[in-house]
């Protein structure tokens, strides 16, 4: 285990030496997706960045408990405490149960994560599965005097809390500035203060997802879900809390306030935030309507795309920029990544058949691994790791062309470097493996389509409809035409 690993801590606004609370166990909590729609590529940037953090911490020898939640409890966009319930709207429109929507998009999310070769978290708790914990935490916050009830909704009293603690600590903002930048309260508003946020929300008669609570029927606020679930699985204070930068100002600020108000402890010692994926400089988001779906990118089926790109090319594209810098989407950048990724994979193959020479190598091979370790220890600097891997590619090609020499020992060092860094830490799979996976999927789908067509010919519509409906639940859509049946991911 490395004792001088630096992590940029949003809380202190500087790089700090990482010191876990309980060596060798590291607690890592990352805010997961909201599952009323597909994840877009921006969301994937954050999840891929934390996949690399998780992989690297495991690589250096920590035992990591990685918790990433699923937000499935009828929340909303924006501050998610007001307005219409997205699950209800969608459920009504599509004549389905809200949990059918949750199931469909959760499966879709898992499929996208597996395309990008992201490791599954150790625990993936859902908000709907932890209503009891959220009610308990809300009760404790009321008991401690930091929350109040108004017409069946429980609000966190920010101004009261801010008299004792620094509410804007995470983003270094003063309370007065926060208040003047927030919306005015209208006469009928039941909140006491403009910054107060809901811990528990009274369900209106048409709200579909609702639970009994000491304050009547309702549903939990968004921020309490992460506080309650991180506390349950990682304890009152744990090591690293992560998410996209857009979550720092409200969601994570409120998480800190809730935990302090409940346990008198800051929930996490290190706060890590990934910067945004942008399209022409504008943050990719569901609401801006500029969100590419990963599927669009793989197929090239999008007006802004000149062609499709493989999941590994996209993953490689993401890690060429440091996680704390913005990353702008462009066809040129993706094409460059495609070329770069191919060069890397070809060098891996060349390395397998490289001939060693007597004596010393021409280049210094051992420093490459040291450089990669140093880069990752310096706040997960993946672009520098990649630069060092390309130096290895240059050496391999040069030896292969007879311009340089390499020893048997150094060939072994390079093989270990590639396996450790390309496969284990960066999580890049040779394209053949991913296309082999796709080939088997094609074979399986062909078989399923044949079984369904046979059922249809035999007028066994129960079976043929069941196959279509079950595939749809797994986000696979069958399209019948006069030329046969095609399938695609929804
Ligand atoms: P959501 O489902 O909107 O709650 O987002 C899930 C995760 O994706 C959160 O950690 C967000 O901060 C992150 N995220 C959302 N938009 C982007 C973006 N454009 N670039 C990077 N991360 C994002
Ligand atoms: Zn969260």
């Amino acid at each position: 285990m490395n004792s001088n690993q630096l992590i940029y801590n949003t809380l202190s606004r500087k790089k700090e030496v990482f010191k876990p609370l309980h060596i060798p166990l590291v607690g890592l909590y990352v805010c997961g997706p909201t599952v009323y729609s597909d994840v877009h590529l921006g969301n994937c940037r954050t999840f891929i960045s934390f996949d690399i953090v998780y992989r690297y911490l495991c690589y250096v020898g920590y035992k990591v408990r990685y918790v990433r939640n699923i937000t499935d409890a009828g929340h909303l966009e924006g501050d998610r405490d007001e307005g219409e319930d997205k699950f209800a709207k969608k459920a009504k429109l599509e004549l389905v149960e809200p949990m059918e929507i949750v199931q469909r998009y959760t499966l879709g999310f898992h499929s996208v994560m597996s395309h990008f070769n992201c490791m599954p978290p150790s625990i993936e708790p859902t908000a709907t599965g932890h209503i009891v914990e959220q009610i308990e935490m809300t009760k404790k916050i009321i008991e401690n005097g930091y929350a109040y009830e108004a017409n069946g909704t429980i609000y966190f009293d920010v101004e009261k809390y801010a008299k004792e603690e620094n509410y804007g600590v995470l983003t270094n903002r003063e309370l007065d500035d926060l208040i003047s930048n927030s919306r005015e309260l209208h006469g009928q508003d039941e909140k006491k203060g403009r910054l107060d946020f809901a811990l528990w929300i009274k369900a209106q008669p048409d709200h579909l997802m609702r639970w009994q609570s000491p304050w009547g029927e309702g549903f939990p606020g968004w921020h309490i879900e992460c506080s309650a679930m991180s506390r349950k699985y990682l304890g009152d204070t744990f090591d690293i809390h992560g998410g996209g930068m857009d979550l720092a100002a409200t969601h994570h600020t409120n998480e800190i306030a809730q935990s302090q108000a409940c346990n008198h402890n800051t929930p996490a010692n290190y706060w890590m935030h990934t910067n945004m994926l942008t399209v022409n400089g504008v943050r990719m988001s569901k609401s801006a309507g500029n969100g590419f779906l990963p599927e669009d990118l793989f197929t090239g089926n999008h007006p802004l795309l000149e062609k499709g790109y493989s999941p590994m090319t996209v993953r490689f594209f993401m890690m060429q920029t440091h996680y704390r810098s913005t990353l702008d989407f462009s066809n040129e950048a993706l094409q460059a990544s495609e070329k770069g990724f191919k060069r890397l994979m070809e060098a891996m193959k060349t390395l397998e058949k490289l001939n060693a020479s007597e004596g010393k190598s021409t280049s210094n091979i051992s420093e490459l691994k040291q450089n990669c370790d140093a880069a990752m220890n310096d706040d997960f600097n993946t672009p520098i790791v990649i630069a060092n891997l390309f130096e290895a590619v240059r050496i391999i090609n040069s030896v292969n062309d007879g311009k340089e020499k390499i020893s048997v020992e150094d060939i072994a060092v390079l093989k270990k470097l590639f396996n450790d860094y390309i496969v284990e830490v960066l999580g890049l799979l040779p394209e053949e493996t991913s296309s082999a996976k796709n080939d088997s999927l094609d074979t399986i789908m062909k078989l399923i389509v044949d079984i369904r067509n046979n059922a249809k010919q035999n007028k066994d519509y129960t079976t043929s409809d069941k196959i279509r409906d079950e595939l749809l639940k797994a986000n696979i859509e069958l399209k019948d035409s006069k030329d046969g049946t095609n399938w695609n991911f929804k």
Side-chain angles (χ1 to χ4, degrees), residues 73 126-144 147 152 154 198-201 210-221 223-229 231-232 258 262:
T126 61
T128 55
H130 295 77
I131 299 294
V132 172
E133 289 80 356
Q134 294 173 78
I135 291 177
E136 283 310 307
M137 197 159 183
T138 303
K139 272 170 43 187
K140 188 93 185 56
I141 296 173
I142 298 176
E143 238 173 78
N144 291 351
I154 307 295
L199 299 174
W200 182 264
I201 304 155
R210 52 206 299 143
W211 292 267
Q212 267 307 333
S213 80
W215 319 286
E217 277 198 3
F219 57 99
H223 316 301
I224 196 78
E225 123 184 20
C226 288
S227 293
M229 297 195 282
R231 180 176 182 233
K232 170 155 181 161
Q258 289 167 160
C262 177

Side-chain angles (χ1 to χ4, degrees), residues 31-35 39 43 47 68-72 109 124 286:
C31 290
T34 311
V35 285
V39 284
N43 305 132
F47 298 130
R68 188 184 64 206
N69 65 304
I70 295 275
T71 296
D72 63 348
F109 170 61
E124 196 172 45
K286 282 167 195 158

Side-chain angles (χ1 to χ4, degrees), residues 48 51-56 58-59 116-119 312 315-316 319 341 344-345 347-349 351-352 372 376 385-386 389 414-433:
I48 291 173
D51 182 55
I52 294 174
V53 169
Y54 175 45
R55 284 170 176 274
Y56 187 65
C58 294
Y59 171 74
F116 283 128
N117 196 29
C118 287
M119 313 251 291
M312 285 302 115
R315 187 174 168 108
F316 186 61
M319 60 187 64
F341 181 65
L344 198 59
M345 291 300 122
M348 249 176 137
K349 279 195 216 148
L351 180 60
E352 289 305 316
C372 288
M376 285 306 278
V385 170
I386 291 172
L389 292 174
L414 277 185
K415 282 186 181 165
K416 179 154 168 47
L417 174 77
F418 275 14
N419 190 58
D420 284 3
Y421 269 94
I422 300 179
V423 181
E424 222 177 296
V425 175
L426 299 184
L428 293 166
L429 289 176
E431 211 77 271
E432 285 83 15
T433 316

Side-chain angles (χ1 to χ4, degrees), residues 31-34 40 42-43 46-47 80 243-244 246-247 275-277 283-284 286:
C31 290
T34 311
H40 56 67
N43 305 132
T46 289
F47 298 130
R80 306 185 195 209
D246 56 321
L247 301 185
N275 213 324
M276 297 290 107
L277 179 72
R283 180 193 144 194
M284 188 179 280
K286 282 167 195 158

Side-chain angles (χ1 to χ4, degrees), residues 174-445:
E174 296 296 330
L175 191 72
D176 290 345
D177 295 340
L178 288 170
I179 294 176
S180 55
N181 285 333
S182 66
R183 275 173 298 165
E184 290 260 7
L185 285 182
H186 300 296
Q188 71 279 24
D189 205 314
E190 58 196 22
K191 291 199 279 190
K192 283 205 255 171
R194 281 202 220 173
L195 294 177
D196 294 357
F197 57 89
L199 299 174
W200 182 264
I201 304 155
K202 179 191 171 133
Q204 296 308 316
D206 61 347
H207 198 99
L208 296 178
M209 283 181 150
R210 52 206 299 143
W211 292 267
Q212 267 307 333
S213 80
W215 319 286
E217 277 198 3
F219 57 99
W222 172 37
H223 316 301
I224 196 78
E225 123 184 20
C226 288
S227 293
M229 297 195 282
S230 60
R231 180 176 182 233
K232 170 155 181 161
Y233 297 109
L234 299 172
D236 285 353
T237 301
F238 54 94
D239 296 300
I240 306 173
H241 192 312
M245 229 168 232
D246 56 321
L247 301 185
T250 308
H251 183 51
H252 293 164
T253 291
N254 291 345
E255 273 189 55
I256 293 178
Q258 289 167 160
S259 294
Q260 288 280 10
C262 177
N263 327 309
H264 307 290
N265 270 327
T266 179
N269 284 340
Y270 303 83
W271 288 81
M272 288 182 70
H273 291 100
T274 49
N275 213 324
M276 297 290 107
L277 179 72
T278 56
V279 185
N280 297 322
V282 178
R283 180 193 144 194
M284 188 179 280
S285 72
K286 282 167 195 158
S287 48
N290 61 355
F292 281 93
L293 301 186
E295 194 55 34
D296 297 338
L297 213 76
F298 305 154
T299 57
N301 191 7
H302 191 283
L304 277 179
L305 285 167
E306 286 167 15
K307 63 194 257 330
Y309 300 92
S310 75
M312 285 302 115
T313 296
V314 181
R315 187 174 168 108
F316 186 61
F317 160 70
M318 304 265 192
M319 60 187 64
Q320 278 174 303
T321 300
H322 187 257
Y323 80 89
R324 279 194 292 115
S325 305
T326 50
L327 169 62
D328 200 48
F329 167 89
S330 78
N331 280 287
E332 297 73 45
L334 275 162
Q335 274 157 29
S337 295
E338 187 172 61
K339 273 201 199 126
F341 181 65
K342 275 199 184 126
R343 258 190 88 211
L344 198 59
M345 291 300 122
E346 271 156 25
M348 249 176 137
K349 279 195 216 148
T350 311
L351 180 60
E352 289 305 316
K353 53 181 175 56
L354 211 58
N355 291 322
S357 310
E358 293 286 318
K360 279 189 162 185
S361 308
T362 330
S363 294
N364 184 344
I365 306 287
S366 57
E367 73 174 13
L368 297 175
K369 159 103 167 67
Q370 287 157 19
N371 294 347
C372 288
D373 292 347
M376 285 306 278
N377 287 336
D378 186 10
D379 194 26
F380 307 94
N381 200 328
T382 52
I384 298 207
V385 170
I386 291 172
N388 278 281
L389 292 174
F390 275 111
E391 174 57 10
V393 171
R394 187 198 63 74
I395 296 168
I396 291 168
N397 291 340
S398 204
V399 172
N400 198 38
D401 293 344
K403 292 180 193 147
E404 280 196 43
K405 289 198 286 184
I406 193 164
S407 66
V408 186
E409 295 79 16
D410 279 344
I411 287 185
V413 171
L414 277 185
K415 282 186 181 165
K416 179 154 168 47
L417 174 77
F418 275 14
N419 190 58
D420 284 3
Y421 269 94
I422 300 179
V423 181
E424 222 177 296
V425 175
L426 299 184
L428 293 166
L429 289 176
E431 211 77 271
E432 285 83 15
T433 316
S434 7
S435 62
K437 267 193 195 167
N438 288 342
D439 287 351
S440 348
L441 184 61
D442 277 340
T443 315
I444 292 167
M445 282 308 299

